[in-house]
Amino acid sequence: MISEMQNYIIIEVASTHSGQVNYLNQLLDEFSTFEKVGIKFQPFKYDLLAENDYSGFNIYKELYFDEITWRDIISKAKASNKEIWIDLFDEYSLTILEQNLEHIKGFKIQASVLGNFTLFEKLSKINTLGKYCILNISAYEINQIRDIINRIKKSISSEIILQIGFQSHPTEFYNSGLSKLRIIKESFPEYIISFADHLENSSSDVLTLPFVAQFLGAQIIEKHIKCELLPTKYDYYSSINFKQFAEFYQLVKKYSDLLNQPFINNEECHYLKKSLLVPILNKNIDAGDILSIDDFSYKRTNQRGIDSMTLLQKMKEFYIVSTKVEKGSSIKQEHLKKANIGAVVVCRMKSTRLPKKALIKIGDLTSVELCIKNTLQFENVNKVVLATSTHPDDSVLKDYTYSSAVDFFQGSEDDVIDRFIKISEKYAFDVIIRVTGDSPFRSNQAVQLLLNSHFENGADYTAAKNAALGTNTEIINVGALKRVVKLFGNAPYSEYMSYYFKNNPSYFKLNLINLPEEFVNDFRLTLDYNEDLLLFQAIEDNLKLSDNDFDTFKLFEFLKNNPQIANLNKNCEVAYTPDSELMKKIIGYTTLKINK
């Protein structure tokens, strides 16, 4: 219901009629041209509102209209497309409300009436469902306002509106209550706010003050009006005539229309389109490459292309270049495609330290099956492949793919890079997540961090610098693998694939990142020794990972809380670290001469 109250005006008749029906009729005629605004009346009975010793008693008596007169007034106002509101002061006000309920949009309870508990009790017996209730909360503290709201909500079924502003014949500019708007909105954000203006009608601020209140968040403005043609004895101080109200109404309508414009308009789109800096490639890009922001300069051009914000979003969504694009060109939608990402679990049967370790059971699963099971948890992966060599001993692995969704592949016995390229060609992979089969505890959370970083940085090769042994994962562009072959011809020692990238930073864009500290620890989580097997079996006995989804943080927490288990393999050496002579050979073979 709040939306229909946005930029809403209630014209307040108050006591300007001086008890004269002809004045009210004239007022309604003058303001009949203003449609879809509220008009508020003040029905009360002098002897119910005041004792006869009160100074205003005789004025109240003069202002009194009977029930039939009020019915005629309300009917005439309704006929001129006005939405009717009334002030509630006493039991007579309630009678007029109940008799005309079908025509009334809402009612207001003045600050001075909020303590009339009898009125509230009788009001609660009237069905006010769907009617608005304005509470004028002038001179009340925040905690008192909360108490009033709670009392009203318990007894009256109404949409509550909180109103700022009071009548002081007239109210001075600095007492208008404008400063309360922010505090009331912050304290009661769920309620509509109304601002009742009572400045002197000759003030230069009489039109601008309520206008400013509206732009500070008051959805409803209440403004006193009077006849242009007839004089009045009462409430004329802050009442404006037809001409003043027409000016105010047009001002509000003009700026309300401005506020209701779409968030983005056609003209600003046209301006941006004409002046936008377009990403222009500062180098040639090959099919299969991942773009990064470093690949572009930004210029105004007549070339059509994807804007930088859209381009950044595409990179986050794992898009790659689908065709070669020349330096100086913009990137168009047809230049991009969603990357086909494959997870390749690498495994062989040869193992001297722990024979046939891939087929050793960890719970109900073999170690390679446990690795595949956890790899299947990786998000953003199109296919999981178990890859091995063509050696006869490795053929047995085809029976241990864990799931029918996992494919089995056999490739070159000695050239691991060639094996990966052949896999990528068979499945049209653009990016490969390399997983070693003897390290089953791979974290989807960590893989997603690496994968996101890989695409955000337009990398060829991504890995963590600080992962626990057995938990690191490599992200490799297939195009980068093919570049290794192109640069080296053949790739000896390709089982040490990472060195071909790490030793040639001039040819490959490396992305070696530090994982958040919650992923970092000193545990050894790879399977090479019997002690490793004892650790894995202890983990399985307690966490049942062959049956349950793998959770990195639960595993780390378990090992931290059980150091006697975590230390089972702490004295094991890193099995695959080559000796110094072999290391020299590997560095020699995997480093291009220009880098030496």
Side-chain angles (χ1 to χ4, degrees):
M1 284 186 152
I2 290 178
S3 59
E4 71 168 310
M5 292 287 99
Q6 195 69 39
N7 306 315
Y8 187 76
I9 302 172
I10 298 175
I11 50 179
E12 166 66 87
V13 175
S15 301
T16 56
H17 57 76
S18 304
Q20 303 297 313
V21 176
N22 66 320
Y23 183 98
L24 259 180
N25 286 327
Q26 176 64 38
L27 187 68
L28 290 173
D29 288 341
E30 287 183 18
F31 284 81
S32 62
T33 56
F34 301 105
E35 297 183 355
K36 299 302 180 183
V37 299
I39 186 167
K40 186 158 68 66
F41 301 109
Q42 292 185 343
F44 51 77
K45 196 165 189 291
Y46 48 91
D47 56 349
L48 294 177
L49 179 58
E51 292 290 330
N52 59 14
D53 63 348
Y54 182 66
S55 59
F57 181 83
N58 289 328
I59 296 175
Y60 293 158
K61 192 171 184 179
E62 183 181 354
L63 296 173
Y64 170 74
F65 292 129
D66 62 28
E67 295 171 22
I68 295 174
T69 302
W70 275 121
R71 184 191 62 200
D72 293 341
I73 291 167
I74 289 171
S75 295
K76 181 169 183 175
K78 189 71 177 177
S80 65
N81 286 318
K82 299 295 183 296
E83 295 179 325
I84 314 302
W85 300 71
I86 65 171
D87 277 315
L88 299 182
F89 292 100
D90 53 27
E91 292 179 36
Y92 183 70
S93 303
L94 295 178
T95 299
I96 302 303
L97 170 67
E98 193 165 21
Q99 289 178 352
N100 300 276
L101 195 60
E102 62 178 311
H103 299 309
I104 290 172
K105 189 175 186 71
F107 49 88
K108 172 178 167 181
I109 304 174
Q110 299 274 13
S112 59
V113 185
L114 289 173
N116 188 341
F117 302 131
T118 301
L119 180 80
F120 290 145
E121 182 180 351
K122 293 184 176 180
L123 177 59
S124 68
K125 293 179 171 56
I126 300 173
N127 182 12
T128 58
L129 183 67
K131 307 298 181 184
Y132 287 96
C133 173
I134 299 175
L135 301 176
N136 188 291
I137 41 84
S138 299
Y140 286 93
E141 299 288 351
I142 295 295
N143 61 332
Q144 293 176 306
I145 296 169
R146 285 200 175 92
D147 290 342
I148 292 166
I149 290 172
N150 290 334
R151 181 161 23 103
I152 295 294
K153 286 172 70 175
K154 285 180 182 178
S155 59
I156 303 169
S157 298
S158 299
E159 294 287 328
I160 293 175
I161 298 167
L162 300 179
Q163 187 178 80
I164 298 164
F166 66 99
Q167 173 67 286
S168 190
H169 304 288
T171 302
E172 295 295 328
F173 179 77
Y174 287 102
N175 294 331
S176 62
L178 202 65
S179 60
K180 287 187 177 185
L181 268 171
R182 178 182 58 81
I183 299 170
I184 294 298
K185 280 184 69 66
E186 289 177 356
S187 301
F188 306 98
E190 67 271 39
Y191 295 111
I192 299 169
I193 307 297
S194 170
F195 182 78
D197 166 49
H198 300 98
L199 285 187
E200 185 176 1
N201 56 28
S202 61
S203 168
S204 60
D205 301 301
V206 72
L207 301 185
T208 55
L209 179 66
F211 182 67
V212 170
Q214 189 177 45
F215 272 78
L216 289 177
Q219 291 105 314
I220 302 174
I221 299 298
E222 184 179 306
K223 193 75 178 168
H224 282 231
I225 59 168
K226 64 180 180 179
C227 265
E228 181 104 18
L229 303 176
L230 298 176
T232 181
K233 292 193 293 183
Y234 308 118
D235 278 345
Y236 58 84
Y237 312 97
S238 56
S239 298
I240 58 176
N241 59 31
F242 173 85
K243 183 178 179 181
Q244 289 174 302
F245 182 78
E247 183 181 348
F248 172 70
Y249 181 85
Q250 290 303 322
L251 190 66
V252 170
K253 186 176 185 305
K254 176 182 177 182
Y255 282 90
S256 295
D257 289 345
L258 183 63
L259 288 175
N260 291 327
Q261 294 304 304
F263 181 72
I264 299 175
N265 63 56
N266 291 334
E267 283 302 311
E268 65 180 314
C269 287
H270 181 63
Y271 163 78
L272 184 61
K273 189 175 181 180
K274 286 194 305 182
S275 60
L276 187 67
L277 298 179
V278 177
I280 301 295
L281 284 169
N282 54 32
K283 65 178 185 179
N284 294 334
I285 297 292
D286 292 323
D289 284 351
I290 298 175
L291 294 170
S292 76
I293 57 174
D294 297 334
D295 296 332
F296 297 94
S297 55
Y298 300 86
K299 300 176 182 179
R300 288 177 178 166
T301 176
N302 289 329
Q303 291 189 64
R304 294 185 177 275
I306 297 175
D307 64 84
S308 56
M309 298 299 179
T310 304
L311 195 57
L312 187 62
Q313 186 60 37
K314 292 289 185 184
M315 290 155 59
K316 289 180 178 178
E317 293 172 358
F318 307 141
Y319 276 76
I320 64 169
V321 178
S322 59
T323 184
K324 184 174 182 178
V325 188
E326 300 291 336
K327 177 181 178 180
S329 301
S330 62
I331 293 292
K332 300 177 177 60
Q333 186 66 48
E334 58 265 30
H335 294 153
L336 300 176
K337 71 165 188 171
K338 190 92 173 205
N340 184 12
I341 302 172
V344 178
V345 179
V346 185
C347 184
R348 294 200 62 182
M349 290 300 293
K350 67 174 185 178
S351 175
T352 56
R353 289 172 295 274
L354 195 61
K356 298 183 179 180
K357 63 182 178 180
L359 303 186
I360 293 176
K361 284 288 190 79
I362 311 294
D364 295 331
L365 299 176
T366 62
S367 67
V368 70
E369 287 176 306
L370 183 60
C371 181
I372 294 170
K373 175 181 180 292
N374 293 337
T375 301
L376 285 168
Q377 288 186 236
F378 294 175
E379 299 170 78
N380 300 303
V381 169
N382 300 99
K383 187 71 179 175
V384 176
V385 178
L386 172 59
T388 190
S389 81
T390 54
H391 191 283
D393 289 350
D394 292 331
S395 297
V396 67
L397 290 170
K398 68 178 180 297
D399 297 323
Y400 296 93
T401 59
Y402 175 74
S403 166
S404 60
V406 178
D407 280 10
F408 179 69
F409 182 91
Q410 289 180 280
S412 172
E413 187 173 340
D414 300 315
D415 193 337
V416 177
I417 291 178
D418 180 73
R419 197 186 310 163
F420 270 63
I421 290 174
K422 291 295 194 300
I423 291 170
S424 69
E425 289 173 348
K426 179 175 180 177
Y427 297 99
F429 289 153
D430 301 300
V431 175
I432 287 175
I433 301 173
R434 185 191 185 198
V435 180
T436 50
D438 54 4
S439 301
F441 302 121
R442 304 302 177 108
S443 159
N444 174 57
Q445 298 100 317
V447 167
Q448 296 312 306
L449 287 173
L450 292 169
L451 198 58
N452 286 324
S453 180
H454 186 76
F455 277 85
E456 287 172 9
N457 290 282
D460 290 315
Y461 174 89
T462 294
K465 292 191 288 186
N466 57 343
L469 182 61
T471 64
N472 206 353
T473 305
E474 298 169 294
I475 316 290
I476 308 168
N477 280 5
V478 171
L481 285 170
K482 292 179 178 179
R483 205 178 316 146
V484 170
V485 175
K486 185 177 180 180
L487 291 169
F488 287 86
N490 63 348
Y493 298 104
S494 64
E495 64 267 34
Y496 300 100
M497 185 190 298
S498 61
Y499 289 105
Y500 281 96
F501 301 107
K502 293 177 181 178
N503 291 341
N504 299 284
S506 299
Y507 292 88
F508 300 99
K509 188 168 184 180
L510 303 179
N511 183 42
L512 304 176
I513 67 172
N514 285 309
L515 291 174
E517 63 178 59
E518 61 264 30
F519 291 96
V520 181
N521 55 71
D522 295 326
F523 305 133
R524 174 186 165 86
L525 294 169
T526 190
L527 185 59
D528 275 307
Y529 299 99
N530 192 61
E531 291 88 343
D532 298 325
L533 180 59
L534 293 175
L535 172 70
F536 283 19
Q537 289 173 337
I539 291 172
E540 173 62 22
D541 289 343
N542 286 274
L543 300 182
K544 307 298 181 187
L545 294 180
S546 59
D547 296 321
N548 300 315
D549 286 345
F550 174 60
D551 186 309
T552 308
F553 304 119
K554 283 185 180 178
L555 173 60
F556 289 175
E557 183 181 9
F558 168 73
L559 293 175
K560 286 176 184 176
N561 293 334
N562 295 275
Q564 74 282 6
I565 293 176
N567 291 333
L568 284 171
N569 63 351
K570 71 174 183 178
N571 294 322
C572 294
E573 296 178 357
V574 178
Y576 55 80
T577 299
D579 59 47
S580 58
E581 286 303 314
L582 179 58
M583 194 71 242
K584 287 179 183 179
K585 287 184 180 181
I586 291 171
I587 292 174
Y589 277 111
T590 61
T591 305
L592 288 165
K593 292 181 180 180
I594 194 170
N595 290 325
K596 292 183 180 180

